[in-house]
Amino acid sequence: MIDGFIALYIFMLAAFTGYEIIGRVPSILHTPLMSGSNFVHGIVLVGAMVALGRADTTLELVIGFIGVFLGAGNAVGGYVVTERMLEMFKSSKEKSS
Amino acid sequence: MTEFVSMRSVIEASYFIAAILFIFGLKRMSSPVTARGGIIWAGAGMVVATLVTFLYPGMGNYPLMMVAIFIGGVLAWVSGKKVAMTDMPQMIALYNGMGGGAAAAIAAVELLSGEDHGLVFGILAVLGGMIGAVSFSGSLVAFAKLQGIMKRTFRFGAQQFVNLLVLAATVILAGIIVIQHSGVNLVVVFFLLALILGVTMTLPIGGADMPVVISLYNALTGLAVAFEGFVLQNAAMIIAGTVVGSAGTLLTQLMAKAMNRSLANVLFSGFGDEAIEASEIAGSMKPIEAPDVAVMMAFADKVLIVPGYGMAVAQAQHKVWELAQLLKDRGVDVKFAIHPVAGRMPGHMNVLLAEAGVPYDIIYDADEINAEFATADVALVIGANDVVNPVARTDPASPIYGMPILNADHAKNVICVKRGQGAGFSGIENALFFLDQTRMLYGDGQAMASQLIQEVKSL
């Protein structure tokens, strides 16, 4: 059970981690990083799956279905656009294809 | 029972691995050298977490689940592959909104089930749902605005007051739901209000400020995911959501700073796309023809290219890079100077140049390059406007006063490629165009770049 202070500790440490990761990023990567972090919160898909998996009533099923649909869109779309952007970053030492 | 317990450990261990992959992936994404690997790591984490969730105990509705994943995944995959690089910001907004909507959906299912999770979890579920719903509808409005579906900015006198009212109503309803933990109708009204709040909050914000808003909603979605993670007791969601929440908040601040706006200013003032009365600038714009520009650049020692969103709209980046390569072959020192907010959001221009094949090590930030303008023979400003407007340094009355700019006006010669004589995105007259050393090259960015290439080749 993730409860009380354990939850607070996780929250605090994860928040610190996020802050540290972005802290010294050159502005050239701001857009890809925003897109990348957008992809990472696509993990919401997992929660939506659990919610749909436990749904009983029709209303819950419908909302759960929408949730999974949206979560999958977030994860897949976030990945595709981030990958497309980062793929293009080349240094002048590498030969472009 | 032992099987049940060990299944649980497999799931928890997989989530743990996924969380580590996310964090290392994001870390790798913060350097251009390792960035490509970063997203693949994070992607692997996502696949692991998703697959293992199918093993979650006590679940049903698998066919429905797979259909939803399939539809959502395929739609996002196709749209993500198709979208042009110039339209990237609104696409990110759209996917981000979907994430917020998913978080809200989780909260809705949990609240509708009527189970008593206890006070703390009730509060987190409601908060996450509210933030997720706001992020969902807000991101959709942002998408519509940037995509050009919604052109007008809606503003009326008491707007802040109305927003506050909607917010208050939402929070009060949230409180009632937490205490009563029942009532389908209440939950539905609550989510409708939260969705309306997202719309009314985003409507008055102008197009120029949208990137900051998208980044803010990105951070908010992260937070909503983390809250729902607590409710579902899902460590991967808590960690990933919180990391994105804090990273996104920092990114939002960095973006706002690069645009010389405070976050409060962006959210509540609505400067975005108002036309501003600026003082008249003395002097005239002096036109020049492409052959003269070609000679000027070909025999220069150092040329700094300042690209703006206008260049990307004209799809001129490939031609500009071709031109830069020609000049480099002639021994000219060519560098690209990028303002933090060139393009639609910080770093967007770097993506657009990267798409054209420009290596990232000849692209420089404003801080790195600004001192070099004084030694540059030619500053080629193509499709950029406000970010090179010296008024930001000199005229306290100007709305962009204090914004960090590129010192293109310090170059010996300034060539501005521009479609017509109109003012820029913010509607502010650009003093750079009226300087003695400035010449205007009127024409479409791509056509002009092609012409310059021909002229340089023929020299």
Side-chain angles (χ1 to χ4, degrees):
Chain A
M1 193 71 176
I2 307 165
D3 212 345
F5 279 102
I6 303 290
L8 269 181
Y9 278 121
I10 296 180
F11 193 73
M12 188 264 291
L13 289 173
F16 183 74
T17 307
Y19 204 85
E20 272 302 297
I21 288 173
I22 305 292
R24 282 173 293 276
V25 173
S27 66
I28 113 169
L29 281 170
H30 278 175
T31 295
L33 254 180
M34 185 164 130
S35 178
S37 58
N38 177 33
F39 162 68
V40 166
H41 68 52
I43 188 70
V44 70
L45 168 62
V46 167
M49 285 166 70
V50 174
L52 175 59
R54 291 176 182 164
D56 299 317
T57 66
T58 315
L59 183 59
E60 285 173 28
L61 280 175
V62 170
I63 297 173
F65 183 85
I66 295 172
V68 175
F69 164 77
L70 292 174
N74 182 186
V76 174
Y79 183 85
V80 171
V81 294
T82 310
E83 211 256 0
R84 267 185 67 196
M85 277 193 263
L86 291 177
E87 189 183 34
M88 298 177 314
F89 280 92
K90 293 193 182 78
S91 117
S92 54
K93 280 147 217 128
E94 300 165 41
K95 271 289 133 222
S96 52
S97 51
Chain B
M1 196 62 197
T2 29
E3 201 183 320
F4 182 83
V5 170
S6 65
M7 187 60 84
R8 198 67 216 218
S9 332
V10 169
I11 293 172
E12 291 303 330
S14 309
Y15 283 166
F16 182 67
I17 292 169
I20 291 176
L21 284 170
F22 287 154
I23 291 172
F24 276 93
L26 273 179
K27 181 72 205 155
R28 291 178 74 85
M29 268 185 251
S30 53
S31 153
V33 186
T34 56
R36 179 80 197 285
I39 183 66
I40 293 172
W41 283 42
M46 190 69 75
V47 171
V48 168
T50 310
L51 287 181
V52 86
T53 303
F54 279 107
L55 306 174
Y56 219 83
M59 293 208 316
N61 305 327
Y62 288 108
L64 213 54
M65 204 180 288
M66 301 225 255
V67 170
I69 293 177
F70 182 76
I71 301 176
V74 167
L75 280 182
W77 180 275
V78 172
S79 59
K81 283 279 177 201
K82 257 189 7 203
V83 61
M85 280 299 154
T86 41
D87 293 339
M88 217 36 111
Q90 54 263 48
M91 232 38 212
I92 296 174
L94 186 62
Y95 297 139
N96 175 53
M98 293 177 91
I106 296 171
V109 172
E110 290 299 311
L111 292 173
L112 286 172
S113 74
E115 276 173 58
D116 189 357
H117 296 279
L119 188 64
V120 175
F121 286 95
I123 292 173
L124 286 175
V126 167
L127 258 185
M130 179 177 152
I131 297 173
V134 167
S135 171
F136 175 68
S137 59
S139 296
L140 288 188
V141 172
F143 169 79
K145 282 200 173 194
L146 287 179
Q147 190 70 24
I149 300 170
M150 188 186 290
K151 291 222 173 59
R152 276 196 51 217
T153 303
F154 299 86
R155 244 174 250 144
F156 51 92
Q159 197 150 22
Q160 302 302 345
F161 182 69
V162 171
N163 286 357
L164 212 65
L165 224 58
V166 179
L167 177 68
T170 320
V171 171
I172 291 169
L173 260 183
I176 297 174
I177 291 170
V178 169
I179 294 164
Q180 290 193 337
H181 46 80
S182 63
V184 175
N185 293 336
L186 270 186
V187 174
V188 171
V189 174
F190 164 72
F191 278 105
L192 281 181
L193 273 179
L195 289 173
I196 293 171
L197 181 63
V199 174
T200 54
M201 258 178 68
T202 321
L203 277 179
I205 298 169
D209 285 332
M210 253 339 139
V212 181
V213 176
I214 295 173
S215 179
L216 178 70
Y217 283 140
N218 185 38
L220 285 180
T221 302
L223 207 59
V225 171
F227 286 172
E228 297 311 323
F230 279 116
V231 174
L232 295 174
Q233 294 285 300
N234 185 319
M237 280 172 72
I238 301 175
I239 296 173
T242 311
V243 166
V244 173
S246 76
T249 308
L250 184 57
L251 258 182
T252 310
Q253 281 171 347
L254 289 174
M255 283 188 187
K257 212 170 84 188
M259 298 172 82
N260 195 36
R261 317 277 319 272
S262 77
L263 197 53
N265 204 259
V266 169
L267 287 177
F268 304 118
S269 84
F271 155 84
D273 51 13
E274 269 171 55
I276 282 108
E277 296 281 328
S279 47
E280 280 289 304
I281 296 162
S284 61
M285 300 197 216
K286 297 161 280 288
I288 192 170
E289 294 302 319
D292 301 325
V293 178
V295 171
M296 201 188 264
M297 291 202 294
F299 295 100
D301 287 325
K302 187 193 275 186
V303 173
L304 297 181
I305 301 176
V306 182
Y309 191 65
M311 178 197 76
V313 171
Q315 288 294 314
Q317 55 268 46
H318 291 91
K319 292 287 175 197
V320 170
W321 172 226
E322 201 183 329
L323 176 66
Q325 278 172 307
L326 274 178
L327 293 174
K328 275 173 93 72
D329 290 345
R330 297 180 66 102
V332 182
D333 183 11
V334 183
K335 286 173 181 166
F336 285 84
I338 311 280
H339 189 272
V341 295
R344 277 283 176 83
M345 60 168 119
H348 190 196
M349 185 52 67
N350 304 78
V351 173
L352 295 169
L353 287 177
E355 187 191 18
V358 182
Y360 60 78
D361 43 14
I362 65 162
I363 302 176
Y364 294 86
D365 272 352
D367 295 341
E368 298 169 320
I369 198 89
N370 253 342
E372 283 198 41
F373 276 103
T375 58
D377 301 291
V378 180
L380 179 68
V381 178
I382 174 161
N385 195 336
D386 293 333
V387 299
V388 289
N389 193 344
V391 160
R393 275 200 309 264
T394 55
D395 180 6
S398 171
I400 60 167
Y401 179 71
M403 180 171 96
I405 58 159
L406 287 164
N407 297 332
D409 55 320
H410 291 179
K412 286 171 202 133
N413 298 285
V414 182
I415 306 295
C416 296
V417 182
K418 208 170 172 306
R419 195 101 67 93
Q421 302 201 345
F425 202 37
S426 63
I428 304 159
E429 200 69 77
N430 193 340
L432 178 71
F433 299 161
F434 298 90
L435 293 177
D436 287 337
Q437 76 267 37
T438 304
R439 293 291 178 275
M440 306 300 292
L441 184 58
Y442 289 116
D444 172 72
Q446 189 174 2
M448 280 305 133
S450 312
Q451 211 181 332
L452 287 175
I453 291 169
Q454 292 310 318
E455 297 293 344
V456 172
K457 272 185 183 161
S458 66
L459 284 175

